[in-house]
Amino acid sequence: MLMGSVALASCATPTPYQPAVGAGQYRTGYWDEQVDGDHFRVSFAGNSLTSRETVERYLLYRAAELTLQHGFDHFVLVSRDTETRTETYVDSRWGSRFGGGFGSWRPYWRWYRPRFGWRSWDPFFDDPFDRDFDVRTINRYEAMAEIVVGKGPKPTGNVRAFDAREVVERLGPGIVLPKEK
């Protein structure tokens, strides 16, 4: 039970700036790969509590950090994209009040209507009395970029070019690192 509480508590905050954890569609954090000497792919994925702006800011920060770690001064965004994964959950409020799901108690009624015959009501299925549903839409964002890194001052006139030290300096104060355990 304690482990479940810890796992639940860790999901109750936006994804911090950290190396990727998890797998598949549940992977969160940053990951990158070097394609060749000066070309990298960088990604950052957040959980359902991480805003699109935060995901994109962490991606830029990771690109700058990666540039400096490899001894370069600037980077150019060759391509950049942000994907949105949307999941919608619909739950009858009756089902959630009485436990929902198979194997738990829920009210169930049957009645007879002269012109329609026997009818039944079960909150797991269509609800003729109370159309009160809880509908939740959850968005998760993942930003990806391909960058080319270089030495010296950033190319002037290129709006996709960034000075890595300046990016780290400006975005650094807003970066949330994971809490130490």
Side-chain angles (χ1 to χ4, degrees):
M1 188 163 177
L2 178 61
M3 291 304 289
S5 298
V6 170
L8 185 60
S10 68
C11 295
T13 60
T15 302
Y17 181 79
Q18 64 185 7
V21 295
Q25 71 177 12
Y26 299 106
R27 179 168 58 173
T28 58
Y30 66 80
W31 61 98
D32 45 67
E33 64 179 334
Q34 189 168 7
V35 178
D36 61 30
D38 64 351
H39 194 149
F40 293 85
R41 284 192 191 113
V42 185
S43 298
F44 188 90
N47 63 17
S48 62
L49 299 175
T50 310
S51 71
R52 179 183 181 127
E53 294 79 18
T54 299
V55 167
E56 291 174 346
R57 184 173 56 245
Y58 286 5
L59 174 78
L60 279 176
Y61 187 82
R62 179 60 190 158
E65 187 178 62
L66 192 64
T67 300
L68 295 173
Q69 285 174 353
H70 284 85
F72 294 96
D73 301 311
H74 69 270
F75 64 95
V76 177
L77 290 172
V78 176
S79 66
R80 187 177 127 203
D81 188 28
T82 303
E83 290 184 358
T84 305
R85 290 191 188 115
T86 302
E87 296 177 25
T88 303
Y89 299 95
V90 179
D91 188 23
S92 163
R93 295 195 186 208
W94 272 102
S96 62
R97 280 188 213 131
F98 292 103
F102 293 102
S104 59
W105 180 86
R106 287 186 301 209
Y108 175 81
W109 287 276
R110 287 183 51 89
W111 70 95
Y112 182 78
R113 292 181 64 189
R115 290 180 39 188
F116 300 102
W118 283 98
R119 304 283 303 214
S120 61
W121 177 81
D122 182 326
F124 186 71
F125 298 102
D126 190 22
D127 184 353
F129 295 123
D130 179 14
R131 302 226 184 258
D132 194 11
F133 291 93
D134 182 19
V135 178
R136 291 179 295 138
T137 300
I138 297 173
N139 291 320
R140 292 183 64 241
Y141 302 101
E142 179 180 342
M144 298 141 297
E146 290 193 24
I147 64 170
V148 174
V149 295
K151 293 192 180 220
K154 73 176 183 175
T156 57
N158 187 345
V159 296
R160 293 177 163 258
F162 295 86
D163 180 298
R165 284 178 186 76
E166 187 176 339
V167 170
V168 168
E169 182 180 305
R170 288 183 186 232
L171 297 183
I175 302 299
V176 177
L177 299 172
K179 294 178 182 174
E180 293 194 26
K181 296 176 183 181

